[in-house]
Amino acid sequence: MIRKYPFTDIIRRLEVTIHCDVGEKGFKTLLYGWRMKFGIPVYNFYGRNYMNEAEITSFSRYAGYDLSKDP
């Protein structure tokens, strides 16, 4: 079974980790930078509000924090 990480959980984990309000807009900006750096097409996320295991691992490395686990 594929593990899914909802965007809301990722945003909450990021906010708790950096002690700052990120919100959906800040998350989308970070997500855009990650997609551009690694050449991930936007259509991979159409109609999706989660990341899979490989995506969260790569995104966590890009953000500099392990966002796959609760802090």
Side-chain angles (χ1 to χ4, degrees):
M1 178 167 206
I2 297 173
R3 176 116 192 236
K4 297 178 181 177
Y5 298 88
F7 287 167
T8 54
D9 288 350
I10 297 169
I11 293 168
R12 181 184 47 78
R13 290 172 182 159
L14 184 60
E15 288 177 341
V16 168
T17 302
I18 65 173
H19 307 291
C20 184
D21 185 31
V22 175
E24 188 174 345
K25 186 174 181 180
F27 172 72
K28 295 285 185 177
T29 302
L30 189 61
L31 184 67
Y32 176 81
W34 170 70
R35 284 190 318 94
M36 291 298 107
K37 179 169 180 153
F38 295 104
I40 300 168
V42 69
Y43 61 79
N44 281 9
F45 291 100
Y46 280 151
R48 262 182 41 187
N49 61 352
Y50 65 89
M51 289 185 179
N52 62 33
E53 191 76 36
E55 292 166 342
I56 192 70
T57 301
S58 175
F59 185 72
S60 291
R61 272 191 251 119
Y62 176 75
Y65 306 101
D66 185 5
L67 301 173
S68 65
K69 300 176 188 137
D70 283 323

